[in-house]
Amino acid sequence: MQFMLLFSRQGKLRLQKWYVPLSDKEKKKITRELVQTVLARKPKMCSFLEWRDLKIVYKRYASLYFCCAIEDQDNELITLEIIHRYVELLDKYFGSVCELDIIFNFEKAYFILDEFLLGGEVQETSKKNVLKAIEQADLLQEKTENMYHSKSFIGCKKAY
Amino acid sequence: MPAVSKGDGMRGLAVFISDIRNCKSKEAEIKRINKELANIRSKFKGDKALDGYSKKKYVCKLLFIFLLGHDIDFGHMEAVNLLSSNKYTEKQIGYLFISVLVNSNSELIRLINNAIKNDLASRNPTFMCLALHCIANVGSREMGEAFAADIPRILVAGDSMDSVKQSAALCLLRLYKASPDLVPMGEWTARVVHLLNDQHMGVVTAAVSLITCLCKKNPDDFKTCISLAVSRLSRIVSSASTDLQDYTYYFVPAPWLSVKLLRLLQCYPPPEDAAVKGRLVECLETVLNKAQEPPKSKKVQHSNAKNAILFETISLIIHYDSEPNLLVRACNQLGQFLQHRETNLRYLALESMCTLASSEFSHEAVKTHIDTVINALKTERDVSVRQRAADLLYAMCDRSNAKQIVSEMLRYLETADYAIREEIVLKVAILAEKYAVDYSWYVDTILNLIRIAGDYVSEEVWYRVLQIVTNRDDVQGYAAKTVFEALQAPACHENMVKVGGYILGEFGNLIAGDPRSSPPVQFSLLHSKFHLCSVATRALLLSTYIKFINLFPETKATIQGVLRAGSQLRNADVELQQRAVEYLTLSSVASTDVLATVLEEMPPFPERESSILAKLKRKKGPGAGSALDDGRRDPSSNDINGGMEPTPSTVSTPSPSADLLGLRAAPPPAAPPASSGAGNLLVDVFSDGPAAQPSLGPTPEEAFLSPGPEDIGPPIPEADELLNKFVCKNNGVLFENQLLQIGVKSEFRQNLGRMYLFYGNKTSVQFQNFSPTVVHPGDLQTQLAVQTKRVAAQVDGGAQVQQVLNIECLRDFLTPPLLSVRFRYGGAPQSLTLKLPVTINKFFQPTEMAAQDFFQRWKQLSLPQQEAQKIFKANHPMDAEVTKAKLLGFGSALLDNVDPNPENFVGAGIIQTKALQVGCLLRLEPNAQAQMYRLTLRTSKEPVSRHLCELLAQQF
């Protein structure tokens, strides 16, 4: 996979993940072009389209479009299910996920994605294993947050 | 603000995001962002040291602002500081910022790499994974240089946690894709293959992707993965839907892993081992069988996952192209999908069937679905699905169904989306020509094309119909009659006027007997369109008129009247004016005999690959025309349509009129009779006129796409020697004899190059039909792209012309392209084939490195096939300075203080190609006493090592 974009029905980009090196300018151009193309498509149309020398696989979940660019030999249907599994992971983590969760917790959305896909390839497909990795991190976080809150504020500051 | 489910304390961030969302206008948003940026800047610059939490919060805000699409030019340092925090969340945000916003600021990269190094060494799996994710996300060359050697170790270490192995595998994959030369092959590769046997499905899933990529570049080294992949696949395919627990997805066992394994197997031909092959065929059959079973769930995820495996299985079956039984089963399965209610499945089935159509085993099976596909073309509501249907019709077309398919495509063209019309026009034109049984059908089809979609009929298409009509005298009368009728339509496309004008000018006499199409009627019909046409078409029509004067003397007075009119003779367009003046003079001065010779019928065109096919290939990339190129499933197709022999009756002596439409590929005109008073005039008329005309001859580009091997002779005997002179230099004289001198100037950067060739005419006589072309023997076309610019066809005595070549190295190559130069000197044809001085070392990028790095890399490239060595006698005096200059000219960097012996030379560089980079190390040891050298090359690619060694050894 070359990149993944999440954007709203209004065309606002909510998450972008690039697995190939591109300049910021190029990224913005691609995003603009694809958002326009995908939003112009009608609901019953097929989820795949040819774009430049890539294949675009997209799917809409409520107000959010998930859109992946894959290479010529990549499998379109399994990419659709990559999108779905990612949605399931977000859903499980946030508890019936909605667009707002991704806006306010964008960093979590990135962390979950990194556990699932790395370098554009599927790393771990087991929901349990992905969420275990994230929850472990959350535990670590809570522990440090608690330390941070329970210990004296001043003491902590001094350390830095 | 929604409830945040898991403990996250960055309230300030949430407030900021809410503020942004509440902004009513873009201006308000920018204002709020600027305020926040100022605040963060002052916090970062302030005297008070920030605690980790605040730093994390502000870095996160910056990240958010960046993701909104604003530029961020500070905060990198604070993010890097977070990397060394021992609090997980701070580290995590630091890494996220770096991954999203990395720039190649070398100072920072060093610090980042340092932090990563610490985390990799920490033995804390969570930290290690974060560090690996960061490398995989950034994937820059600097990171590759720092870590490419360590990661394989982490990947195969016995004590690495599973999650670390997974991340390491994909991290290495990313680095390998970005800079393959940095990833050393070694004993770890064998252990990586065995990860296919790992108990942890996640590890296998990650490892297969890495192995697939490695296999593509070194298939022989990884052959053992075939049997392991087959047995893994077989275990998955035969497992019950619940066996694999969390790796089962909607009742489908491990779909992602299955697809990846099937993909891996497509790197290889069918397994040689009969047992392995048997097991694999069994797997493939099981997948096909399962497709017929009732679904275990109504959810679309179930069917998608199941069908993803099915389509990948079919791809593998097509890739093998050796099991007729499986191919036909695959085709039947796809046939069912053609009428499925899911648009996605119909789309994929059409796409996949296209490849099946080109297999001799399944071509017939695909053809049985023709009605369904035609129906899809008519009724599908989604243009991308219709496009696939059109592609499939094109692929399944053969002589038996050509008429049906062509007529359906023509009908579709009337309503087709504008974006795909030109492609459909090309396809129809190709099919009509390829499968024409009688040429009247072909002529009708092309004229229909012009009628329906005239704007999308490119030059190539209408040139082609003229070529075919000119070459086949059995269709000329029919063509004349049909265009005459077509021109009678009140509004007809300009392309129709062009074709009509040309054909009537050549063959109008064949229908002149019918009073309804008598010469005056023909002329007035054409002339009624004249005023509506563009300059180019009017120029063509003027040529038709002068031909009419020859064909039908009775029209002479009328036509001379037209030519004499002020609107022609004083036309503002110089081309039209010149034609009018010259044609008028020609018709008044020349005798009927001279006219008849000058304006004789066109000689047949030399046969070559259809320029339309070349155009379609250009549009779609190589391989697009393959369904038609291979005559294998229809060997009889070539006898009628493939090679059109010029019919003897139309062969006439080439006359100056051969140039009338700028047909430069035809034999050049012999000098016109000098005795005739019109002779000199004629030379002027026809040597200047055609230059502005559209050319029917091959443009340099076309010739280049379809180099007929028989067209060019073998390179001259000294070609190799001449080539060797240019291995270490870019400028100089490539060739010289009594007639011609060819000079070269070239420059190369990374994988691109530009070369100027200077052709000097050393004689005092003009060279005519001067045409230099570049030809790619063998596979070279896929390795090196050379674009040539056209040069003037005449080179005056003592003059020099320049030709520019743009060169792109696509992948490593061994043989240079050929330069074929042909021209006429005093009437005698001259031809010459040279080797173009483009050798792989031109794409060298020198690399400086310290002794320690050099030796480390040298050791990494220690496999026997990575090294090439040559011991040879010195052919030139052994001068250290000259040798140095040659090595630098060769392209590598010269590294001082590396070799313990100061007499020896050591160099390093990277060969840049579009597809890959090849790192090269070299060592040259002179032995003054024995007058010998020893040259050693080590690169990551075996043929490159050998080739460079041979090239360089000839230089000393």
Side-chain angles (χ1 to χ4, degrees):
Chain A
M1 187 184 298
Q2 299 221 339
F3 56 84
M4 185 192 253
L5 303 175
L6 268 62
F7 51 87
S8 70
R9 229 160 23 142
Q10 291 75 36
K12 287 230 175 204
L13 191 58
R14 296 301 181 203
L15 186 137
Q16 45 176 320
K17 188 80 190 178
W18 304 86
Y19 297 110
V20 284
L22 291 168
S23 67
D24 284 346
K25 205 172 139 205
E26 186 77 16
K27 287 178 188 170
K28 281 188 182 159
K29 186 164 167 254
I30 291 176
T31 309
R32 213 173 328 129
E33 220 178 299
L34 269 183
V35 168
Q36 226 171 29
T37 314
V38 171
L39 287 181
R41 289 177 65 85
K42 297 190 188 78
K44 281 278 162 198
M45 285 186 163
C46 93
S47 315
F48 320 125
L49 51 125
E50 286 184 330
W51 181 80
R52 300 195 186 171
D53 53 348
L54 298 175
K55 299 193 284 198
I56 303 297
V57 177
Y58 72 94
K59 188 160 179 176
R60 184 176 150 188
Y61 287 85
S63 59
L64 210 54
Y65 283 86
F66 289 68
C67 171
C68 299
I70 55 174
E71 279 150 69
D72 189 40
Q73 324 102 15
D74 291 338
N75 189 310
E76 291 98 336
L77 285 175
I78 208 73
T79 310
L80 264 185
E81 295 320 298
I82 287 180
I83 293 177
H84 188 74
R85 169 90 341 159
Y86 182 47
V87 172
E88 285 185 348
L89 288 166
L90 293 170
D91 198 64
K92 190 96 190 255
Y93 181 78
F94 289 110
S96 58
V97 65
C98 68
E99 193 184 337
L100 283 180
D101 291 318
I102 294 174
I103 297 174
F104 280 94
N105 303 285
F106 67 96
E107 78 284 8
K108 296 283 186 224
Y110 275 102
F111 298 148
I112 294 173
L113 187 58
D114 269 356
E115 293 294 335
F116 175 44
L117 292 180
L118 191 59
E121 298 284 341
V122 174
Q123 172 172 228
E124 177 56 86
T125 65
S126 152
K127 242 196 298 198
K128 252 190 246 159
N129 288 353
V130 171
L131 291 174
K132 207 164 70 194
I134 295 290
E135 270 154 19
Q136 254 174 8
D138 277 331
L139 278 180
L140 275 171
Q141 170 169 332
E142 267 165 18
K143 224 162 53 196
T144 50
E145 296 286 325
N146 285 342
M147 261 166 52
Y148 173 77
H149 287 298
S150 61
K151 276 201 178 171
S152 99
F153 208 66
I154 319 278
C156 241
K157 252 187 180 171
K158 248 186 205 159
Y160 280 84
Chain B
M1 190 192 136
V4 176
S5 57
K6 308 283 151 106
D8 195 343
M10 289 192 282
R11 223 181 84 78
L13 175 66
V15 170
F16 174 58
I17 296 176
S18 289
D19 281 359
I20 295 284
R21 286 179 53 75
N22 291 333
C23 286
K24 293 276 183 294
S25 65
K26 193 83 198 158
E27 290 72 34
E29 183 185 310
I30 290 175
K31 210 171 144 198
R32 178 68 185 89
I33 285 171
N34 285 337
K35 186 179 148 205
E36 192 63 39
L37 286 174
N39 170 39
I40 299 173
R41 217 185 283 266
S42 74
K43 285 282 192 305
F44 283 168
K45 277 199 185 138
D47 313 328
K48 271 199 293 182
L50 288 176
D51 59 43
Y53 169 78
S54 312
K55 226 183 272 178
K56 174 179 93 172
K57 185 179 73 188
Y58 293 131
V59 164
C60 217
K61 282 183 180 174
L62 286 178
L63 191 54
F64 182 78
I65 294 171
F66 176 78
L67 290 169
L68 280 178
H70 302 269
D71 291 332
I72 295 294
D73 53 7
F74 69 103
H76 301 77
M77 203 58 207
E78 283 73 15
V80 173
N81 284 341
L82 286 176
L83 297 184
S84 40
S85 162
N86 51 11
K87 291 212 177 71
Y88 181 76
T89 52
E90 289 167 14
K91 196 186 271 292
Q92 202 181 19
I93 294 289
Y95 272 126
L96 180 60
F97 185 92
I98 301 296
S99 302
V100 175
L101 257 130
V102 77
N103 63 20
S104 287
N105 185 331
S106 59
E107 190 60 22
L108 276 178
I109 281 288
R110 215 170 39 79
L111 292 171
I112 295 167
N113 282 355
N114 224 2
I116 293 177
K117 198 165 270 170
N118 290 337
D119 280 336
L120 285 183
S122 70
R123 310 188 64 79
N124 172 339
T126 334
F127 286 3
M128 287 173 87
C129 281
L130 274 185
L132 289 168
H133 291 179
C134 181
I135 303 174
N137 281 326
V138 177
S140 68
R141 200 166 167 87
E142 290 91 345
M143 286 197 176
E145 279 166 356
F147 302 109
D150 296 335
I151 295 170
R153 213 173 20 79
I154 297 175
L155 175 58
V156 297
D159 57 349
S160 288
M161 296 271 291
D162 290 327
S163 60
V164 174
K165 279 191 199 165
Q166 285 168 279
S167 299
L170 293 177
C171 179
L172 191 57
L173 170 63
R174 173 77 194 260
L175 291 182
Y176 186 77
K177 275 190 190 160
S179 354
D181 57 304
L182 294 178
V183 178
M185 294 293 137
E187 53 97 39
W188 64 273
T189 50
R191 298 175 62 184
V192 159
V193 173
H194 281 275
L195 289 179
L196 288 174
N197 268 337
D198 202 283
Q199 289 195 324
H200 191 285
M201 293 281 272
V203 172
V204 190
T205 306
V208 184
S209 295
L210 173 65
I211 295 168
T212 306
C213 181
L214 293 170
C215 282
K216 278 186 193 145
K217 299 212 169 139
N218 330 277
D220 291 338
D221 300 349
F222 288 87
K223 260 196 172 140
T224 47
C225 72
I226 302 175
S227 62
L228 292 175
V230 169
S231 60
R232 190 91 215 193
L233 182 68
S234 152
R235 267 180 282 156
I236 296 171
V237 168
S238 56
S239 64
S241 53
T242 48
D243 284 357
L244 302 174
Q245 294 162 357
D246 213 23
Y247 289 91
T248 295
Y249 179 82
Y250 291 88
F251 304 102
V252 181
W256 286 280
L257 180 53
S258 307
V259 167
K260 283 185 179 190
L261 288 167
L262 288 160
R263 193 76 259 151
L264 169 62
L265 290 169
Q266 286 170 62
C267 300
Y268 290 97
E272 286 154 17
D273 183 311
V276 176
K277 187 170 177 195
R279 201 161 175 201
L280 177 57
V281 168
E282 214 171 278
C283 283
L284 303 179
E285 277 170 344
T286 312
V287 174
L288 289 171
N289 292 340
K290 277 193 179 170
Q292 297 299 327
E293 288 170 11
K296 292 197 175 67
S297 151
K298 283 210 170 81
K299 287 257 168 65
V300 67
Q301 283 76 28
H302 170 72
S303 81
N304 278 351
K306 193 170 147 185
N307 290 328
I309 299 173
L310 178 62
F311 274 104
E312 208 56 62
T313 300
I314 292 176
S315 294
L316 183 63
I317 293 171
I318 295 173
H319 168 77
Y320 287 162
D321 196 15
S322 60
E323 300 282 334
N325 172 35
L326 289 178
L327 280 161
V328 170
R329 282 194 67 187
C331 185
N332 294 340
Q333 181 60 54
L334 292 176
Q336 290 180 13
F337 285 155
L338 286 182
Q339 308 198 48
H340 203 280
R341 62 188 167 78
E342 277 274 324
T343 314
N344 288 344
L345 286 181
R346 295 198 303 275
Y347 176 96
L348 294 174
L350 289 165
E351 188 182 41
S352 194
M353 249 192 197
C354 257
T355 22
L356 273 179
S358 55
S359 162
E360 56 180 321
F361 301 116
S362 49
H363 181 73
E364 287 304 317
V366 171
K367 271 169 61 185
T368 59
H369 300 288
I370 183 166
D371 293 330
T372 319
V373 182
I374 287 174
N375 197 41
L377 189 65
K378 286 178 182 163
T379 57
E380 281 290 350
R381 277 187 296 174
D382 185 345
V383 50
S384 37
V385 185
R386 290 198 296 270
Q387 165 97 54
R388 290 284 87 83
D391 285 350
L392 178 54
L393 282 180
Y394 178 75
M396 67 161 73
C397 190
D398 64 16
R399 185 148 305 164
S400 71
N401 55 22
K403 282 206 172 166
Q404 187 187 7
I405 286 179
V406 164
S407 79
E408 290 298 342
M409 284 173 97
L410 274 174
R411 194 168 312 152
Y412 173 56
L413 196 53
E414 297 189 34
T415 53
D417 312 74
Y418 295 111
I420 60 173
R421 284 196 181 186
E422 189 183 358
E423 198 184 317
I424 302 250
V425 166
L426 287 175
K427 286 182 166 163
V428 169
I430 291 167
L431 294 178
E433 180 185 340
K434 174 99 176 164
Y435 298 115
V437 182
D438 63 295
Y439 279 91
S440 51
W441 175 71
Y442 169 76
V443 170
D444 285 342
T445 304
I446 302 295
L447 294 185
N448 265 330
L449 270 184
I450 297 177
R451 232 192 315 258
I452 296 168
D455 283 345
Y456 299 89
V457 172
S458 57
E459 286 180 342
E460 286 85 350
V461 173
W462 69 264
Y463 286 180
R464 190 68 186 158
V465 70
L466 297 182
Q467 288 179 4
I468 287 176
V469 170
T470 307
N471 286 12
R472 304 203 60 95
D473 53 1
D474 54 339
V475 76
Q476 288 160 355
Y478 181 79
K481 182 166 157 282
T482 322
V483 285
F484 179 77
E485 281 162 8
L487 284 173
Q488 279 170 329
C492 64
H493 195 272
E494 189 163 335
N495 280 336
M496 189 70 87
V497 179
K498 289 178 183 163
V499 174
Y502 188 96
I503 289 183
L504 292 180
E506 293 291 319
F507 311 112
N509 56 328
L510 300 176
I511 56 166
D514 186 330
R516 283 166 302 177
S517 53
S518 67
V521 178
Q522 285 186 35
F523 173 73
S524 57
L525 180 59
L526 280 177
H527 198 55
S528 68
K529 317 279 180 195
F530 188 89
H531 306 279
L532 301 169
C533 291
S534 67
V535 168
T537 308
R538 280 195 254 168
L540 185 148
L541 284 178
L542 287 179
S543 298
T544 302
Y545 296 169
I546 185 78
K547 288 218 154 199
F548 268 16
I549 291 182
N550 175 45
L551 286 181
F552 316 120
E554 66 266 40
T555 59
K556 183 170 171 177
T558 325
I559 290 174
Q560 282 184 331
V562 168
L563 293 175
R564 200 176 287 123
S567 56
Q568 310 302 340
L569 277 188
R570 282 192 291 282
N571 196 299
D573 184 89
V574 65
E575 175 66 32
L576 290 181
Q577 192 189 74
Q578 186 172 2
R579 281 188 190 219
V581 171
E582 290 177 349
Y583 289 164
L584 182 60
T585 319
L586 173 65
S587 68
S588 359
V589 175
S591 70
T592 25
D593 283 353
V594 171
L595 262 190
T597 317
V598 171
L599 299 170
E600 198 173 358
E601 194 177 295
M602 289 286 284
F605 291 81
E607 209 36 63
R608 66 177 83 90
E609 183 193 23
S610 160
S611 50
I612 312 177
L613 203 53
K615 172 153 180 153
L616 187 69
K617 280 185 194 162
R618 266 205 305 275
K619 264 180 89 79
K620 299 284 275 186
S626 59
L628 288 154
D629 284 344
D630 60 356
R632 67 172 164 165
R633 59 162 199 260
D634 189 9
S636 62
S637 68
N638 287 332
D639 49 10
I640 306 187
N641 308 338
M644 269 181 303
E645 302 293 330
T647 14
S649 63
T650 55
V651 177
S652 56
T653 41
S655 68
S657 68
D659 252 11
L660 195 57
L661 271 166
L663 181 72
R664 292 205 196 80
S675 58
S676 153
N680 294 330
L681 172 68
L682 289 184
V683 178
D684 288 341
V685 172
F686 296 109
S687 59
D688 292 339
Q693 284 274 2
S695 160
L696 282 177
T699 65
E701 222 178 3
E702 280 162 0
F704 161 65
L705 272 168
S706 51
E710 68 284 352
D711 287 355
I712 71 151
I716 57 172
E718 58 272 33
D720 279 316
E721 199 183 313
L722 295 169
L723 179 73
N724 278 336
K725 285 200 329 203
F726 282 85
V727 168
C728 294
K729 64 174 186 176
N730 288 333
N731 305 331
V733 175
L734 177 64
F735 173 82
E736 184 157 15
N737 63 12
Q738 309 94 303
L739 303 179
L740 176 72
Q741 185 194 55
I742 305 178
V744 179
K745 251 179 121 164
S746 53
E747 56 199 23
F748 295 86
R749 261 192 83 159
Q750 301 199 322
N751 70 326
L752 301 175
R754 174 168 292 171
M755 178 174 282
Y756 299 89
L757 293 172
F758 301 92
Y759 304 95
N761 181 345
K762 289 171 68 182
T763 70
S764 54
V765 181
Q766 191 187 52
F767 291 165
Q768 279 161 331
N769 295 76
F770 187 78
S771 100
T773 45
V774 175
V775 181
H776 293 57
D779 292 339
L780 191 60
Q781 198 150 346
T782 60
Q783 297 161 346
L784 195 73
V786 182
Q787 270 188 337
T788 50
K789 298 248 165 76
R790 177 199 279 257
V791 298
Q794 280 88 25
V795 186
D796 286 330
Q800 190 183 55
V801 295
Q802 174 189 328
Q803 185 181 30
V804 187
L805 274 56
N806 286 319
I807 302 167
E808 184 182 10
C809 181
L810 305 173
R811 49 179 307 121
D812 51 303
F813 63 99
L814 304 180
T815 47
L818 300 178
L819 172 69
S820 154
V821 184
R822 277 184 291 178
F823 58 96
R824 277 185 168 253
Y825 166 68
Q830 305 283 336
S831 83
L832 170 75
T833 304
L834 296 167
K835 294 195 172 173
L836 202 65
V838 181
T839 43
I840 182 82
N841 64 298
K842 301 289 180 198
F843 304 97
F844 244 128
Q845 198 181 324
T847 317
E848 295 289 346
M849 58 176 83
Q852 186 194 350
D853 293 337
F854 181 86
F855 286 115
Q856 189 193 354
R857 266 164 230 219
W858 186 263
K859 277 188 211 118
Q860 281 162 4
L861 295 170
S862 58
L863 294 180
Q865 63 267 31
Q866 291 172 331
E867 180 180 288
Q869 193 171 70
K870 230 179 163 145
I871 299 171
F872 53 94
K873 255 203 132 41
N875 280 325
H876 302 281
M878 295 177 78
D879 179 326
E881 286 311 307
V882 175
T883 307
K884 246 185 218 172
K886 280 185 179 164
L887 286 172
L888 286 174
F890 192 65
S892 68
L894 268 185
L895 306 177
D896 293 329
N897 307 324
V898 169
D899 202 291
N901 179 350
E903 303 291 310
N904 292 347
F905 301 92
V906 169
I910 296 164
I911 290 187
Q912 303 277 356
T913 77
K914 191 177 175 200
L916 59 141
Q917 299 178 320
V918 185
C920 306
L921 303 174
L922 70 87
R923 183 175 191 216
L924 180 71
E925 302 157 89
N927 180 340
Q929 217 166 11
Q931 288 287 301
M932 302 273 281
Y933 288 99
R934 179 163 71 178
L935 173 65
T936 315
L937 257 296
R938 284 191 179 184
T939 78
S940 46
K941 283 202 82 168
E942 174 190 19
V944 176
S945 302
R946 259 186 292 125
H947 185 56
L948 285 176
C949 191
E950 277 158 26
L951 281 176
L952 191 56
Q954 279 152 348
Q955 302 301 318
F956 300 102

